[in-house]
Amino acid sequence: MKVLTIVGARPQFVKAAVVSRALARREDVRETILHTGQHFDEALSDVFFRELGIPEPAYHLGIGGGTHGQNTGRMLEGVERVLLDERPDWVLVYGDTDSTLAGALAAVKLHLPVAHVEAGLRSFNRRMPEEINRVLTDHAADLLLAPTPTAVENLRREGLSEARVRWVGDVMYDAALHFGRLADRASTVLARLGLDPRGYVLATVHRAENTDDPARLEAVFEGLAQVAAEIPVVLPLHPRTRKA
């Protein structure tokens, strides 16, 4: 069986590291990876493939940096071209990015089966581009791989056939278990930052709804400052947050 996996953003790289490892153990499965280029910065892309042991992408579209409409349209065109050449038995997409939606749309229009990892997750906030992407992908996909019972219930409420749904568990939890053990053995970041294990809080702030609203961003950092008065806060800065 030939599987074409479509990734583009760093959360998808982490998920793919787990699933690709499982697929590699199957003698009857051959996986080909397509990277749309949605996250194109070295620190947001290449380093994940190296450190997580993900096979090198066979295709790299180099598409990123535009608006949602620009990215999705260009990805749709590029993914379709690859699918016409590869003609996989399944197309595998992850999560809720523009790469996810473009991959699913390109595949279903060519009548290729689509599997969606992290199906059924909902924020119920239609102002989020990610919410639109995940809902449309779920309704287009043939196999819905849901991480939680709540996700399964969300799909049921939307009228999607239960025959298409599988409750498979959370691949991000699998990733945390696997790479957490590796980090315990190999990582030096705690020593570099002068931190004790479990003696700090890790935070991330990157949603446009938070970074692009000065009052909201100020409130977030005021909250983090209150936490930091009691325990160190480690905040890896996303480029959008750093710019804001």
Side-chain angles (χ1 to χ4, degrees), residues 9 19 24 48 53 62 77-79 96 122 127 136-137 147 159 169 192 201 215 232 237:
V19 177
F48 284 85
E77 181 180 13
V79 170
D96 54 19
R122 298 289 184 268
R127 292 182 61 84
L136 294 178
T137 299
R192 291 203 313 270
V201 171
L237 275 184

Side-chain angles (χ1 to χ4, degrees), residues 101 104-105 108 114 135-142 144 160 164:
L101 179 59
L105 286 175
V108 298
V114 175
V135 170
L136 294 178
T137 299
D138 280 341
H139 283 257
D142 300 273
L144 301 168
L160 292 169
R164 294 160 59 190

Side-chain angles (χ1 to χ4, degrees), residues 23 36 73 86 100 102 107 119 121 133 136 148 159 162 192 205 214-215 218-219 224 238 243:
L23 293 178
T36 65
E86 289 284 338
T100 308
L121 296 184
N133 290 343
L136 294 178
T148 66
E162 293 186 14
R192 291 203 313 270
V205 183
E218 183 176 5
L224 291 175
H238 187 282
K243 181 179 178 181

Side-chain angles (χ1 to χ4, degrees), residues 116-118 144-148 152 165-171 174:
H116 182 205
V117 175
E118 285 197 337
L144 301 168
L145 303 171
T148 66
V152 172
V165 180
R166 302 288 188 278
W167 173 27
V168 296
D170 189 350
V171 294
D174 294 329

Side-chain angles (χ1 to χ4, degrees), residues 164-242:
R164 294 160 59 190
V165 180
R166 302 288 188 278
W167 173 27
V168 296
D170 189 350
V171 294
M172 289 300 272
Y173 179 63
D174 294 329
L177 292 176
H178 178 77
F179 293 110
R181 289 190 291 267
L182 293 180
D184 287 341
R185 295 198 301 268
S187 177
T188 60
V189 66
L190 295 188
R192 291 203 313 270
L193 297 179
L195 298 169
D196 296 322
R198 300 187 182 279
Y200 62 94
V201 171
L202 178 67
T204 179
V205 183
H206 65 274
R207 291 279 180 198
E209 292 87 351
N210 290 324
T211 61
D212 297 354
D213 183 327
R216 186 173 294 171
L217 186 61
E218 183 176 5
V220 169
F221 273 86
E222 285 177 352
L224 291 175
Q226 292 175 21
V227 175
E230 300 182 18
I231 185 171
V233 173
V234 180
L235 181 68
L237 275 184
H238 187 282
R240 181 188 295 124
T241 313
R242 183 184 295 113

Side-chain angles (χ1 to χ4, degrees), residues 8-227:
R10 67 190 187 284
Q12 295 167 334
F13 306 150
V14 178
K15 300 178 183 81
V18 176
V19 177
S20 293
R21 187 179 302 106
L23 293 178
R25 293 197 292 264
R26 295 284 300 267
E27 294 183 359
D28 58 338
V29 174
R30 180 166 67 87
E31 182 188 30
T32 300
I33 296 178
L34 182 156
H35 185 349
T36 65
Q38 184 171 340
H39 278 175
F40 50 87
D41 184 276
E42 196 277 340
L44 294 180
S45 178
D46 296 349
V47 67
F48 284 85
F49 282 83
R50 288 197 308 270
E51 296 197 2
L52 301 184
I54 307 170
E56 275 295 309
Y59 299 92
H60 198 306
L61 302 183
I63 297 169
T67 65
H68 286 289
Q70 290 170 333
N71 284 344
T72 305
R74 291 163 63 208
M75 288 173 191
L76 184 59
E77 181 180 13
V79 170
E80 181 183 64
R81 196 161 50 241
V82 173
L83 293 179
L84 286 170
D85 288 339
E86 289 284 338
R87 284 289 172 180
D89 298 299
W90 280 90
V91 175
L92 182 62
V93 296
Y94 291 89
D96 54 19
T97 70
D98 293 339
S99 302
T100 308
L101 179 59
L105 286 175
V108 298
K109 286 175 179 288
L110 293 174
H111 310 294
L112 297 171
V114 175
H116 182 205
V117 175
E118 285 197 337
L121 296 184
R122 298 289 184 268
S123 68
F124 303 104
N125 178 5
R126 288 298 183 100
R127 292 182 61 84
M128 295 174 62
E130 296 86 354
E131 182 76 351
I132 304 302
N133 290 343
R134 62 175 71 106
V135 170
L136 294 178
T137 299
D138 280 341
H139 283 257
D142 300 273
L143 181 60
L144 301 168
L145 303 171
T148 66
T150 300
V152 172
E153 178 62 18
N154 289 338
L155 295 169
R156 187 194 65 77
R157 282 202 303 265
E158 291 177 16
L160 292 169
S161 169
E162 293 186 14
R164 294 160 59 190
V165 180
R166 302 288 188 278
W167 173 27
V168 296
D170 189 350
V171 294
M172 289 300 272
Y173 179 63
D174 294 329
L177 292 176
H178 178 77
F179 293 110
R181 289 190 291 267
L182 293 180
D184 287 341
R185 295 198 301 268
S187 177
T188 60
V189 66
L190 295 188
R192 291 203 313 270
L193 297 179
L195 298 169
D196 296 322
R198 300 187 182 279
Y200 62 94
V201 171
L202 178 67
T204 179
V205 183
H206 65 274
R207 291 279 180 198
E209 292 87 351
N210 290 324
T211 61
D212 297 354
D213 183 327
R216 186 173 294 171
L217 186 61
E218 183 176 5
V220 169
F221 273 86
E222 285 177 352
L224 291 175
Q226 292 175 21
V227 175

